[in-house]
Amino acid sequence: MAPTTLYPRATLKKTLKAHANKPLAKNVDILVFLNYTLFLQEVMKEARIESKKAGERGVSARSVRKVRENCLRKFKG
Amino acid sequence: MSGSPRKKQRIGDRRLGIQDELQDSTLHDHLQQLTSILPKPSTPFRRASSAGPRLTPSDRRTPNIPIRTPGAAARTPRGGLASRPISARRAAPTTPHAIRALRERANAARTPGQNRRRSGRVQRETPRDTLRDLSRILARDTRPVRPSPPNRNTSRNSALELADIDDGPDPIPPRLSMALEDMYEDDSIHEMPPRQSLLPDIPADVDNGTIQSLEFGRRAVSEDPRAMFAARISERFADLQELGIEEEEYELDGTFINSRPQFDPDLSLQEEIEEEMEDTTMEARGLAGIRGGRHSDAGLGVFEQDEILDEPTFRFTIPQRLRTLAREEQVEQDPTVQGFSEIEDSMNLEKTLHGGSSNGSSTDHAGQRYTNDEPAPVAWESDEELDNDADLHAYREEVSAVDRSLQTESPERRPVAAAQHARRQRREVRISKFGNEYASFPAPTIKRLATSFAKIQGGHGKISNDTLTALVQATDWFFEQVSEDLSAYAAHAGRKMIENGDVIALMKRQRQITNNTTSFSLAQKMLPRELLQELRMEPVQKAKRAKRKRMQTVVEDDEQEEHA
């Protein structure tokens, strides 16, 4: 299940503003966070597959590093 | 017949001894005899010493088999009992309860005991004895040998290298201690000593203003005795200009100024001056604001020659952590600087200023300017009282000196501000390509999310620190990428603001939102309720509008095609 506590909205808004250099509508950050959760899910899924391929137990940093490039490309609009 | 006497001889030889056998019989026989002779004494010793009683039960039965099979249960206790001295209970194990109890006892007694004795056997027989013997032998041999060489060496070294030893320890500890101490003590020195040095000067009027006044004073001491005048005036102007922003510090500075006997008359006049000056300074600021982008350029252009002396020192003292504060202060200072520069342009006094600057410090400029404008600069207060326009302008020009002093003083204020903002700045502050600062997404949140996903996907859900750092980096990249995309979408739509539609468009392009999945179904899946509610409050309408638009456009297209 999704985490019960909220994510730090202010931080996310700040990061988005900092990168985009534009003001955000009211609930943009929630949608972005939704997108981020999807991204993270994807990363974890791929990393798990990758780590299984490599015969590792659990998700290792190496597999995450391998996978995240592809996932970022997938989530490139 | 010949064999029998030989055998008899062998037997006799055994009894007699090994040497006789060697003489009479073949090598084979000798070896056999040796083998027969040697183990005999050795084996009984071992058994007797370590596990003499145990060997008999272990030989007779295998410990585990009878216990496991229920049918053989009756036998095991017997065997166990037989092996043990407890002979009286042989009759008892008829009842199952007793049998079990006996079994358990036997097992309990057996397993640990065997282990102990085995371990003991191993330890006692092979390694320990040999090692003990070895150690005894070696100890005797080495005792004389070991102590002698180190002692000799040390003695030789100490005798020969006394000088080196003295030199050795000295350089090492200073390196360690000095580096750290310098780091800490320098900061402390920068902060503390000025206060102490200036405290005795102010004691009469001391209020809360002591701290800030100390900072100002310290600066003045560092430069010149003449600088004192300029610094004071500058402080006053600082009051006038930045009343709104930092009232306390400057007011306190004002008190500090007033504490000095020379400037007492100024107190009464301050308010009037403030009123007049505020208007003019505000105008100047407005002009500066119009020029906008030039802040830094203008400042450099005017003060290049002057500030070369001042700036490096004050920039050195700025720790890199405090970039943000430095920026804010520079932003605050720049308009004042520009205002001054513009006033200067109006007054056409730049040339004189630069001439003065080339000669020496800022205070010198002020003095020279006054000499140029007004022949009698000696009585400063009297000039102020007159409130001539020339005086005001002259003051404004001195604002430049003020600004310099402010800039140089700013690093001293920063530690105070740094202490205030220390908690905020402990977080890692990063700077985007637009120069905006942002804190990276907090790792615990990422970890929580990632663990939840890992658990959902069927792992144990533990995430190591390395993995977490990789994920944090990935999130940073992701947010950067996403925000860039969103800003591009907003720009494409001709908007300045990033709206929900942009994110939805992005997710569509990511194939996250398809015909089957809407943003709300995804949100329902992924997000906690609080966020879901907030999402639903507004964007439902927007989404509907977007859908309608889509439908309309489609229809229109169709119609257009039909018409065409």
Side-chain angles (χ1 to χ4, degrees):
Chain A
M1 279 300 293
T4 53
T5 53
L6 301 173
Y7 68 95
R9 289 189 69 171
T11 315
L12 181 52
K13 276 181 185 172
K14 267 181 201 166
T15 45
L16 289 176
K17 267 185 199 170
H19 286 304
N21 207 18
K22 284 181 182 176
L24 303 175
K26 196 184 165 192
N27 287 329
V28 164
D29 62 317
I30 297 178
L31 280 173
V32 170
F33 181 70
L34 171 62
N35 199 353
Y36 168 67
T37 52
L38 293 169
F39 166 74
L40 194 62
Q41 195 178 28
E42 182 77 15
V43 167
M44 292 302 289
K45 197 179 81 185
E46 296 292 330
R48 187 153 171 277
I49 292 166
E50 185 66 31
S51 60
K52 278 214 168 176
K53 262 193 211 165
E56 293 160 350
R57 254 177 63 196
V59 177
S60 70
R62 199 176 59 82
S63 58
V64 169
R65 257 177 233 129
K66 249 188 185 175
V67 154
R68 66 185 172 185
E69 286 287 340
N70 265 334
C71 284
L72 276 172
R73 213 159 282 159
K74 237 187 211 177
F75 279 76
K76 176 84 183 158
Chain B
M1 290 302 289
S2 64
S4 62
R6 281 179 189 174
K7 286 175 185 176
K8 287 175 183 176
Q9 283 179 354
R10 282 173 202 165
I11 295 162
D13 292 337
R14 283 177 197 168
R15 289 172 186 171
L16 289 172
I18 297 165
Q19 292 179 350
D20 297 337
E21 288 180 6
L22 289 171
Q23 292 174 357
D24 296 339
S25 60
T26 62
L27 288 173
H28 208 69
D29 296 335
H30 298 315
L31 287 173
Q32 284 181 351
Q33 289 171 1
L34 271 172
T35 53
S36 64
I37 291 165
L38 288 172
K40 278 179 185 175
S42 64
T43 45
F45 276 117
R46 287 171 191 172
R47 285 174 188 174
S49 64
S50 63
R54 282 300 150 113
L55 286 174
T56 48
S58 67
D59 291 341
R60 283 180 189 176
R61 60 175 135 109
T62 56
N64 291 333
I65 293 168
I67 299 162
R68 286 175 188 171
T69 55
R75 296 175 187 173
T76 55
R78 287 176 191 168
L81 292 170
S83 65
R84 300 206 168 179
I86 310 162
S87 58
R89 291 182 186 178
R90 277 184 187 178
T94 51
T95 61
H97 211 66
I99 291 166
R100 277 180 201 166
L102 283 173
R103 236 186 265 158
E104 288 176 0
R105 271 188 200 171
N107 291 335
R110 258 176 233 152
T111 48
Q114 284 181 351
N115 290 336
R116 276 178 207 161
R117 273 158 203 181
R118 277 176 191 171
S119 65
R121 210 187 276 165
V122 172
Q123 287 173 356
R124 284 177 193 172
E125 289 174 1
T126 52
R128 267 191 201 173
D129 295 337
T130 51
L131 286 174
R132 276 178 194 168
D133 295 338
L134 265 175
S135 65
R136 281 167 194 167
I137 294 161
L138 288 173
R140 287 172 191 170
D141 296 341
T142 51
R143 271 175 197 170
V145 176
R146 282 180 186 173
S148 59
N151 289 334
R152 288 171 189 171
N153 291 332
T154 53
S155 64
R156 284 174 189 171
N157 290 334
S158 62
L160 293 173
E161 300 176 355
L162 275 174
D164 293 343
I165 289 166
D166 292 340
D167 293 341
D170 288 339
I172 295 166
R175 282 174 196 166
L176 295 172
S177 62
M178 288 301 287
L180 293 174
E181 288 176 0
D182 287 345
M183 290 300 291
Y184 292 114
E185 286 181 358
D186 284 345
D187 296 339
S188 65
I189 284 168
H190 282 301
E191 293 175 3
M192 294 303 293
R195 293 177 188 172
Q196 291 175 352
S197 64
L198 288 176
L199 273 172
D201 295 342
I202 314 163
D205 293 342
V206 169
D207 286 335
N208 296 333
T210 53
I211 297 166
Q212 285 95 10
S213 67
L214 291 172
E215 291 174 356
F216 284 92
R218 174 225 168 188
R219 219 233 135 207
V221 171
S222 67
E223 286 186 354
D224 279 339
R226 288 183 188 177
M228 296 296 287
F229 292 99
R232 285 169 198 166
I233 292 157
S234 69
E235 285 165 358
R236 203 176 297 155
F237 274 88
D239 291 349
L240 301 177
Q241 288 180 348
E242 298 183 353
L243 275 176
I245 298 168
E246 295 177 351
E247 289 181 359
E248 296 179 356
E249 292 183 0
Y250 289 105
E251 285 178 2
L252 296 172
D253 296 342
T255 59
F256 168 66
I257 292 164
N258 296 330
S259 69
R260 309 236 166 179
Q262 294 176 351
F263 290 87
D264 288 341
D266 292 352
L267 268 176
S268 60
L269 294 176
Q270 265 193 349
E271 294 178 355
E272 296 176 358
I273 296 166
E274 283 179 1
E275 290 175 358
E276 292 179 359
M277 291 301 294
E278 277 183 355
D279 298 337
T280 54
T281 51
M282 287 304 290
E283 289 175 1
R285 280 189 189 175
L287 291 173
I290 291 165
R291 287 192 180 177
R294 281 199 204 166
H295 289 287
S296 61
D297 297 343
L300 288 174
V302 176
F303 296 107
E304 264 189 355
Q305 294 176 350
D306 300 354
E307 288 183 351
I308 286 169
L309 296 174
D310 296 340
E311 281 193 0
T313 57
F314 106 83
R315 279 185 187 173
F316 265 113
T317 52
I318 298 175
Q320 289 186 347
R321 295 174 190 169
L322 308 179
R323 275 184 203 162
T324 63
L325 290 175
R327 277 187 190 170
E328 291 174 1
E329 288 188 358
Q330 283 179 357
V331 171
E332 291 175 3
Q333 291 167 3
D334 284 348
T336 61
V337 173
Q338 259 215 345
F340 161 64
S341 67
E342 284 194 296
I343 292 158
E344 271 195 346
D345 295 338
S346 65
M347 291 298 290
N348 293 327
L349 289 173
E350 276 192 353
K351 293 177 182 177
T352 59
L353 217 184
H354 283 292
S357 66
S358 63
N359 288 336
S361 67
S362 62
T363 57
D364 291 342
H365 309 306
Q368 285 185 356
R369 238 174 285 140
Y370 272 99
T371 54
N372 291 334
D373 295 339
E374 296 169 333
V378 178
W380 295 70
E381 296 99 18
S382 63
D383 293 342
E384 291 176 1
E385 289 172 358
L386 294 175
D387 288 339
N388 294 335
D389 293 342
D391 284 351
L392 288 175
H393 289 294
Y395 264 112
R396 265 178 227 151
E397 289 162 9
E398 285 185 2
V399 171
S400 66
V402 173
D403 291 333
R404 276 175 231 143
S405 64
L406 281 175
Q407 285 181 351
T408 48
E409 285 158 7
S410 57
E412 295 165 4
R413 285 175 202 161
R414 271 161 206 163
V416 179
Q420 293 174 354
H421 294 283
R423 291 177 186 173
R424 290 181 190 173
Q425 288 180 348
R426 275 177 196 170
R427 240 187 210 178
E428 206 174 336
V429 174
R430 304 186 179 190
I431 295 172
S432 69
K433 69 178 181 183
F434 293 103
N436 301 326
E437 291 141 11
Y438 68 97
S440 63
F441 207 62
T445 319
I446 297 169
K447 188 173 188 181
R448 203 184 52 212
L449 274 175
T451 46
S452 68
F453 286 137
K455 276 179 187 172
I456 289 168
Q457 289 163 5
H460 53 279
K462 284 175 187 172
I463 287 175
S464 65
N465 281 334
D466 293 341
T467 317
L468 187 58
T469 53
L471 286 174
V472 168
Q473 207 171 359
T475 53
D476 285 341
W477 290 342
F478 173 79
F479 283 131
E480 191 174 351
Q481 174 183 298
V482 160
S483 47
E484 280 171 6
D485 291 342
L486 289 178
S487 70
Y489 291 168
H492 179 71
R495 276 184 270 108
K496 264 199 170 183
M497 184 176 274
I498 295 170
E499 290 180 356
N500 289 358
D502 296 328
V503 187
I504 288 169
L506 175 67
M507 290 172 79
K508 265 179 201 161
R509 279 185 59 84
Q510 290 168 354
R511 310 276 167 94
Q512 294 296 334
I513 294 177
T514 60
N515 291 333
N516 297 328
T517 59
T518 63
S519 63
F520 299 105
S521 67
L522 279 176
Q524 191 102 29
K525 241 198 242 169
M526 309 298 297
L527 293 181
R529 271 179 208 165
E530 296 93 331
L531 291 176
L532 196 63
Q533 284 174 352
E534 288 199 16
L535 250 191
R536 272 186 180 170
M537 295 300 283
E538 240 179 300
V540 168
Q541 299 174 350
K542 284 184 181 176
K544 279 178 182 174
R545 281 175 201 166
K547 281 178 184 175
R548 278 174 197 167
K549 279 177 187 173
R550 252 180 271 144
M551 291 296 290
Q552 287 172 0
T553 53
V554 167
V555 170
E556 285 172 5
D557 292 342
D558 293 341
E559 287 175 0
Q560 287 172 359
E561 287 174 5
E562 288 175 4
H563 287 295

